[in-house]
Amino acid sequence: MTRRGLFVAFEGIDASGKSTQARRVAKDRGALFAFEPGDTPLGVELRRWVLDATAPMDPGTEALLMLADRSHHARRVLEPALASGRNVVCDRYYPSSLAYQGYGRGVNLEHLRAATALAIGACRPDLIVLLDVSIDVANERRARDHEDRFESADADFHERVRAGYLALAQNDTTPWVVVNGDDDFERVNARVDECVAELPWPA
Ligand code: TYD
């Protein structure tokens, strides 16, 4: 029987450095690099709608579009790759919806958890790496041109999302590690590598 691949997800607020880390780890481990939202042809369309800062949208609608993207992605990309034995590193997964739409926008968390179960089924990560950065550091790093719906949200929103992530990291059935993303690049790399190396990678 084919051994199931390992699945690592990276999370964090905008400009936390999670995408850089996710890409780096995927490359080092020869894993499939995946991301949300927008990693499938349907996802590209959903991403365009959901990030468009000029088209006002209800938070519940926003959540359902993110979850539609995830459901499609999990079933069409992530799950088949894992089942075939491929390791997968995903830039954002279900915690993003709980943190952004739940803690950030105030969508009912229990409803979001139920919808998440519908979207991902049994496709759960083996590890979630949270790059935790302060809002000040994220603001310094963030490119200010062409801000999307989330990047243009106020500082309080980003504070709620950050606090939401930290709360989720304490109370989830999936294992999480929290890495201090305010540290310098070399130290963040080393800490992420240390955490990821604990997983049972195939020889
Ligand atoms: P992402 O592609 O990670 O950002 P970037 O374009 O900077 O690489 O994510 C785009 C935005 O979507 C980001 O602000 C977070 C938001 N988002 C949610 O609000 N909920 C979700 O479930 C996901 C996956 C993303």
Side-chain angles (χ1 to χ4, degrees), residues 16 22 29 51 58-59 63 72 77 98 100 140 162 171 179 193 203:
S16 59
R29 297 280 174 183
L51 297 191
D58 178 84
H72 191 64
V77 178
L98 298 170
Y100 279 78
E140 278 167 29
R162 181 189 184 197
N171 297 304
V179 172
D193 286 343

Side-chain angles (χ1 to χ4, degrees), residues 46-57 147-149:
L46 292 168
R47 181 183 172 100
R48 187 164 60 79
W49 281 102
V50 81
L51 297 191
D52 183 355
T54 66
M57 188 178 281
E147 288 187 325
D148 67 30
R149 186 193 305 286

Side-chain angles (χ1 to χ4, degrees), residues 16-76:
S16 59
K18 59 160 185 55
S19 305
T20 307
Q21 292 299 329
R23 284 185 188 278
R24 192 179 62 78
V25 169
K27 188 161 174 272
D28 289 354
R29 297 280 174 183
L32 174 71
F33 173 78
F35 64 94
E36 294 184 357
D39 199 17
T40 61
L42 172 62
V44 169
E45 295 302 315
L46 292 168
R47 181 183 172 100
R48 187 164 60 79
W49 281 102
V50 81
L51 297 191
D52 183 355
T54 66
M57 188 178 281
D58 178 84
T61 309
E62 185 183 287
L64 289 167
L65 290 180
M66 290 294 188
L67 283 150
D69 172 74
R70 181 159 308 119
S71 174
H72 191 64
H73 193 218
R75 281 148 213 281
R76 296 298 174 107

Side-chain angles (χ1 to χ4, degrees), residues 105-180:
R105 300 274 197 234
V107 175
N108 182 294
L109 278 170
E110 286 322 303
H111 293 172
L112 281 177
R113 286 188 209 279
T116 294
L118 177 68
I120 70 172
C123 190
R124 290 204 154 249
D126 297 286
L127 182 68
I128 295 169
V129 181
L130 172 61
L131 269 288
D132 179 53
V133 295
S134 61
I135 304 300
D136 287 348
V137 168
N139 279 340
E140 278 167 29
R141 290 181 189 164
R142 200 136 51 93
R144 294 239 156 237
D145 52 336
H146 298 107
E147 288 187 325
D148 67 30
R149 186 193 305 286
F150 300 96
E151 287 161 342
S152 58
D154 58 29
D156 283 358
F157 173 79
H158 294 286
E159 286 286 7
R160 289 196 298 279
V161 174
R162 181 189 184 197
Y165 270 129
L166 291 169
L168 291 166
Q170 300 298 314
N171 297 304
D172 200 3
T173 48
T174 304
W176 287 60
V177 289
V178 182
V179 172
N180 179 4

